[in-house]
Amino acid sequence: MDLPVVWFLLIAVLWTGYLVLEGFDFGVGMLLAILPRGDRARREKERRLMINTIGPVWDGNEVWLLTAGGATFAAFPEWYATLFSGFYLPLFLILVALIVRVVAFEWRGKIDSPTWRAWADRALVVGSFVPALLWGVAFANLVRGVELDADHQYVGGFLALLSPFALLGGVVTLSIFLTHGAVFLAMKVDGDMRERAGAFAARSSVVTLVAAGVWAVWAQVAYAGRAWTWAAVAVAAVALVLVVAATRVRREGVAFTASAVAIVAAVVLIFGSMFPDVMPAFDPANSLTVANASSTDYTLTVMTWVAAILTPVVLLYQGWTYWVFRKRLTIEHIPEATGLTFDRVVARS
Amino acid sequence: MDALDLARWQFGITTVYHFIFVPLTIGLAPLVAVMQTAWVRTGNERWLRLTKFFGKLLLINFAIGVATGIVQEFQFGMNWSEYSRFVGDVFGAPLAMEALAAFFVESTFLGLWIFGWDRLPKRIHLACIWAVAIATNLSAYFILAANSWMQHPVGTTFNMETGRAEMTDVVAVLTNPTLLAAFPHTIAAAFLTAGTFVAGIAAWWMVRLARAGQVATARDVYRPAVVLGLVTMLVSGAGVALSGDWQAKLMFQQQPAKMAAAEGLCTSQEGAPFSILAIGDLTNDCEGVRHLLEIPGVTSFLATGDFDAPIRGVEELQEQYTQWITEWDEANGVSSGVDDDTRFYPNLAVTYWSFRLMIGLGAGSAALALAALWLLRRRGAVTDRPWFALLGLVAIPTPFLASAFGWIFTEMGRQPWVVAPNPDASGVDGVWLLTARGVSEVVSPGMVLFSMIGFTLLYGVLMVVWFRLMKRYAVQGVADTEHDPSPEANPPADDADGSDRPLSFAY
């Protein structure tokens, strides 16, 4: 196997890591607007409970995206250049969403004020919702193909990215992340919240199954055109059915594994459909391929060594993080808010 | 304005903004690690209180540094896609290495540090903040490797067929002399920033408490913090000056036009003077530059170690660069697309003043350091001088501003190139790119303007919030007491493993 193909696979792996991991923390972020119940104080405690299930890990999850971006830049500069300049507005919206999300996580508890927290919650919900939707739109466009000119420049404009197929792709990632997040919550908390998250996942998994099923078959019939990717569709279908079944009987571990497998299968389907293109064009002569978009063999060799040595180490310590924070949380674990107010009230005597 | 100007403004705004927070993170993470180490080793509770206090400030700052860093990586592809095509084979590698080798460590172990106080054994928890501290510095190394390559492209050839720069020697890229000078300079500046930050806040509190009669707390808690900050400032301040001198000498060789412009040196001169004050009409024209105050021979000395050495001015350099490019085009039968009126030197006023502001503001911390050394010279001394508290506060922003002007100087001084050509025979190798050629071809001015307004407004709001949060937490001061949250100090009671207790830290 030649090195550009290895790097195509590695980038698929990085996206898999990103979508599986940040997928559930996007889900938890969106559910902040949906799951909490009770009076104001109770809802606030429940939101904090939810945020703390992902608190120690969301930042590490997000680095998978930065690594995928950096790896694309290093291994496929043409792909990186065409994709990032071509999908300008969606990427801008994703960036804004990720920025407000990052600061909201870290700053939310720093000020003890309902207004402050309400703003942070808006930022967390919108900051999770927008990328969850737009990543699906972007990947659907990569499967569908886009308008590239002979210089490999994207010339289709913004509205061309919003085809029904692409928008359905957005709905798929949105619903799969919602389900994945709800299942994760059910696995990580106990008490009322666990029950509610499980019930939500039981409902949303059905929507996910239908939306993902329609999209995958559509992708397969209309754009992929190769036989073996049906296997990915089949795996995704089985996994999503398993999510539906497992959430009904509240087997959270099984459901989470299954929704992770479904996301892996979706990435296999997406990257499998593109290959050997990295960015299929409407006119196949203009497509960016694994061969014509890649860096030199020298650069790829260097990067392969770096990735081969470091990726297992990253997996080890990230895995350890999940182990350290493996315990279920309940509302009783959440301490009183320790944030300060903006007004200086403490006068030292 | 066209897409090029807007993309340049956007890069300038987002980069300078990002780099307000980064130096503090790079320097403060190790200082917090030192404070926590002091606590773990001595068991003295004051170090735990200081760790928690400065740790909170570190976290507030870290979040916004991360958030704005994501934009930096995406921006190369969004606004500078032609640049990305040209350099991706070389430039992408250090970015990917940063993510894999450093950024994963930073974000993962920061999560462990924030939430792990009561979950991890004391020493392992301490190792987490050290991992963060080392990784933030390693991040800087890889990013500076990428940037240094733009200043001085090494380990690379130009491929005529693909029309791009291609890496031939990764070791050369990672040991670029430009990088070996830029890294200590940037890191020392970051430690100076964090040292001044710690010393400034602690000095303000020490005076405040001493005036309120709480001399014991001032001596016991804040004086050690001032001393820690002060030591950091002295060591890093010397590092900034030495590495800066080294960097300047390299720049005279590698980017002569940048340093000539920084000195406002239009005509070549033997024994070139160091200009302290100059005025110009901002037309970026040699005709408009008037030097008012100069020290003879000093520029020559700084550049070469010889007071009489000849230094090329921008007019001579303009001719040399024009000749090099013409020769290259003729030899290779190509057109580099360089117009006759292309200026091969940067904007004179911006370069001249950013260089002086960098040095001047960088020295701003020195006043605080000198005053503190004098006032606190006796063992255990504290001071209640109000002017010292004020000096502490005034000193804090100076290294931040110096860093900003340092980057403006470095990046604006590289113009008109985005990848600067090597100015010697070995370097006339086709590995160069004009900034104007690097901009995205398919992105309209409207889109760049839209995203620029978006980022600027968002950054403006976040800046206000960041400042209020930092100020609020700094004004709160160090907690009066802090209990030891480690598992060792909290043996399981009723429940089997203590897992029913509330978390010691939660968002």
Side-chain angles (χ1 to χ4, degrees):
Chain A
M1 199 158 32
D2 62 349
L3 284 173
V5 176
V6 169
W7 272 88
F8 182 76
L9 293 177
L10 255 172
I11 286 168
V13 169
L14 291 170
W15 276 106
T16 307
Y18 177 65
L19 297 173
V20 168
L21 295 174
E22 184 119 297
F24 72 73
D25 67 53
F26 280 147
V28 173
M30 291 186 279
L31 289 168
L32 285 175
I34 300 170
L35 285 187
R37 292 280 181 278
D39 59 15
R40 176 180 268 242
R42 172 80 186 181
R43 286 202 308 276
E44 162 59 12
K45 265 250 155 119
E46 292 203 341
R47 275 195 283 268
R48 288 183 61 207
L49 172 63
M50 293 170 72
I51 291 169
N52 279 290
T53 60
I54 53 172
V57 294
W58 65 268
D59 197 4
N61 295 347
E62 195 154 289
V63 178
W64 286 85
L65 170 67
L66 294 173
T67 312
T72 309
F73 198 171
F76 298 101
E78 292 280 339
W79 184 15
Y80 173 81
T82 300
L83 180 69
F84 279 55
S85 61
F87 290 11
Y88 196 92
L89 286 180
L91 286 174
F92 168 72
L93 294 175
I94 287 172
L95 282 176
V96 170
L98 293 180
I99 289 172
V100 297
R101 190 171 182 268
V102 170
V103 294
F105 269 125
E106 204 61 66
W107 291 357
R108 185 187 188 278
K110 292 284 181 283
I111 294 298
D112 192 11
S113 135
T115 325
W116 172 264
R117 284 192 290 257
W119 275 104
D121 290 338
R122 275 176 215 134
L124 289 176
V125 171
V126 174
S128 305
F129 182 86
V130 168
L133 182 76
L134 290 181
W135 285 130
V137 174
F139 275 111
N141 273 297
L142 288 182
V143 171
R144 182 171 176 261
V146 288
E147 195 176 347
L148 300 184
D149 68 11
D151 295 330
H152 303 309
Q153 301 276 12
Y154 175 74
V155 288
F158 174 60
L159 291 177
L161 298 175
L162 303 179
S163 64
F165 176 73
L167 291 174
L168 182 60
V171 172
V172 172
T173 46
L174 186 67
S175 71
I176 207 168
F177 290 163
L178 267 171
T179 305
H180 197 44
V183 171
F184 178 80
L185 259 184
M187 198 169 66
K188 289 295 295 178
V189 300
D190 224 333
D192 285 3
M193 176 64 76
R194 180 180 177 184
E195 179 51 35
R196 255 176 283 146
F200 181 89
R203 289 196 303 276
S204 69
S205 58
V206 178
V207 179
T208 308
L209 177 63
V210 174
V214 172
W215 186 83
V217 172
W218 188 351
Q220 186 65 14
V221 172
Y223 306 113
R226 58 176 60 86
W228 72 265
T229 41
W230 279 112
V233 177
V235 171
V238 170
L240 287 175
V241 169
L242 194 56
V243 178
V244 173
T247 47
R248 265 161 218 271
V249 295
R250 300 291 192 271
R251 292 287 301 276
E252 290 111 2
V254 176
F256 186 75
T257 311
S259 66
V261 168
I263 294 174
V264 175
V267 177
V268 172
L269 171 63
I270 290 165
F271 278 75
S273 305
M274 289 194 293
F275 188 82
D277 293 339
V278 290
M279 211 165 168
F282 289 155
D283 179 353
N286 296 341
S287 289
L288 279 170
T289 65
V290 165
N292 73 16
S294 76
S295 287
T296 55
D297 258 14
Y298 177 80
T299 297
L300 293 177
T301 307
V302 168
M303 292 310 301
T304 305
W305 278 105
V306 173
I309 294 166
L310 290 175
T311 313
V313 182
V314 170
L315 287 171
L316 266 177
Y317 62 67
Q318 283 213 336
W320 179 60
T321 308
Y322 284 89
W323 175 253
V324 168
F325 300 106
R326 67 191 177 281
K327 290 233 164 62
R328 281 182 190 271
L329 294 179
T330 65
I331 210 109
E332 285 74 33
H333 284 110
I334 305 301
E336 289 311 307
T338 53
L340 306 176
T341 57
F342 263 139
D343 308 312
R344 171 130 174 83
V345 286
V346 182
R348 301 219 168 206
S349 51
Chain B
M1 278 201 277
D2 56 11
L4 173 65
D5 290 330
L6 290 164
R8 285 186 64 190
W9 273 107
Q10 183 172 125
F11 194 84
I13 291 168
T14 52
T15 305
V16 167
Y17 188 87
H18 175 58
F19 209 74
I20 292 169
F21 315 108
V22 171
L24 185 59
T25 297
I26 292 174
L28 192 54
L31 289 183
V32 170
V34 166
M35 293 173 195
Q36 192 174 337
T37 307
W39 171 59
V40 171
R41 290 187 68 97
T42 65
N44 190 326
E45 190 215 21
R46 76 162 162 239
W47 288 113
L48 177 62
R49 291 158 70 190
L50 285 168
T51 305
K52 293 259 181 159
F53 174 64
F54 284 106
K56 275 182 194 144
L57 295 168
L58 172 68
L59 292 181
I60 292 167
N61 188 67
F62 191 91
I64 192 167
V66 169
T68 54
I70 309 173
V71 177
Q72 297 306 102
E73 184 189 281
F74 277 47
Q75 200 172 181
F76 293 116
M78 289 169 75
N79 288 339
W80 301 98
S81 64
E82 297 315 300
Y83 165 80
S84 300
R85 282 180 219 281
F86 183 77
V87 304
D89 197 74
V90 197
F91 188 84
L95 292 196
M97 289 180 200
E98 189 225 0
L100 268 170
F103 209 34
F104 264 125
V105 178
E106 265 171 73
S107 47
T108 309
F109 285 89
L110 192 70
L112 280 160
W113 187 71
I114 297 173
F115 289 89
W117 281 97
D118 57 352
R119 300 288 176 100
L120 295 168
K122 238 180 209 179
R123 281 170 190 280
I124 293 185
H125 185 255
L126 175 63
C128 289
I129 188 71
W130 275 111
V132 174
I134 292 164
T136 48
N137 282 266
L138 197 58
S139 263
Y141 175 79
F142 285 117
I143 293 305
L144 288 169
N147 183 271
S148 297
W149 184 86
M150 297 163 76
Q151 314 286 345
H152 180 57
V154 292
T156 308
T157 57
F158 177 71
N159 184 331
M160 261 312 182
E161 261 169 54
T162 57
R164 66 181 185 184
E166 295 182 344
M167 186 153 71
T168 54
D169 186 354
V170 68
V171 176
V173 173
L174 294 178
T175 57
N176 189 342
T178 319
L179 166 64
L180 298 183
F183 180 65
H185 191 63
T186 311
I187 293 299
F191 274 89
L192 182 66
T193 307
T196 310
F197 182 82
V198 169
I201 290 175
W204 184 78
W205 264 108
M206 180 170 70
V207 171
R208 190 186 156 99
L209 288 183
R211 290 182 76 76
Q214 299 182 39
V215 178
T217 314
R219 174 174 296 125
D220 198 46
V221 180
Y222 288 103
R223 189 179 189 280
V226 177
V227 171
L228 176 64
L230 197 61
V231 171
T232 309
M233 287 161 77
L234 292 175
V235 175
S236 59
V240 171
L242 291 173
S243 58
D245 176 61
W246 177 18
Q247 236 187 336
K249 287 184 168 56
L250 272 180
M251 266 186 216
F252 268 105
Q253 298 163 24
Q254 296 170 350
Q255 296 176 280
K258 181 191 280 188
M259 290 310 285
E263 293 304 335
L265 197 67
C266 280
T267 48
S268 302
Q269 225 173 320
E270 281 180 19
F274 182 81
S275 166
I276 292 178
L277 188 62
I279 50 169
D281 53 9
L282 302 180
T283 53
N284 194 23
D285 207 325
C286 277
E287 308 298 316
V289 178
R290 299 276 177 280
H291 288 276
L292 301 182
L293 209 55
E294 295 181 329
I295 315 175
V298 169
T299 288
S300 284
F301 179 75
L302 287 177
T304 62
D306 172 4
F307 281 99
D308 299 321
I311 301 293
R312 286 172 293 177
V314 293
E315 286 168 348
E316 186 186 338
L317 288 163
Q318 172 74 22
E319 283 171 29
Q320 282 184 3
Y321 276 105
T322 311
Q323 193 190 335
W324 277 331
I325 304 294
T326 314
E327 281 170 9
W328 161 262
D329 280 4
E330 280 170 8
N332 294 285
V334 294
S335 167
S336 299
V338 172
D339 304 330
D340 291 340
D341 59 351
T342 305
R343 272 183 209 269
F344 293 109
Y345 55 88
N347 184 298
L348 295 176
V350 170
T351 322
Y352 182 91
W353 285 111
S354 58
F355 187 59
R356 271 145 198 81
L357 285 166
M358 169 182 76
I359 296 172
L361 288 161
S365 310
L368 177 64
L370 289 175
L373 277 177
W374 177 251
L375 291 173
L376 305 179
R377 64 191 178 283
R378 274 174 296 118
R379 173 182 287 271
V382 293
T383 176
D384 61 356
R385 310 281 166 81
W387 63 264
F388 183 63
L390 186 67
L391 184 64
L393 296 186
V394 171
I396 290 172
T398 59
F400 285 92
L401 291 167
S403 297
F405 283 112
W407 274 112
I408 291 170
F409 170 62
T410 305
E411 300 292 277
M412 289 290 285
R414 195 188 56 236
Q415 304 303 327
W417 310 97
V418 63
V419 179
N422 293 317
D424 51 29
S426 68
V428 182
D429 49 12
V431 184
W432 68 63
L433 190 70
L434 284 166
T435 306
R437 289 285 182 104
V439 75
S440 295
E441 287 175 4
V442 295
V443 178
S444 67
M447 287 211 281
V448 189
L449 184 65
F450 175 75
S451 63
M452 186 171 91
I453 292 172
F455 282 133
T456 309
L457 290 179
L458 177 63
Y459 281 12
V461 171
L462 293 183
M463 183 69 153
V464 172
V465 176
W466 169 81
F467 182 77
R468 290 194 67 189
L469 278 175
M470 293 293 272
K471 182 181 160 208
R472 184 64 189 86
Y473 272 82
V475 165
Q476 182 66 16
V478 176
D480 291 336
T481 55
E482 198 71 74
H483 84 281
D484 181 347
S486 64
E488 292 98 317
N490 300 277
D494 304 338
D495 48 318
D497 55 358
S499 64
D500 287 346
R501 271 194 295 262
L503 304 171
S504 83
F505 180 89
Y507 275 144

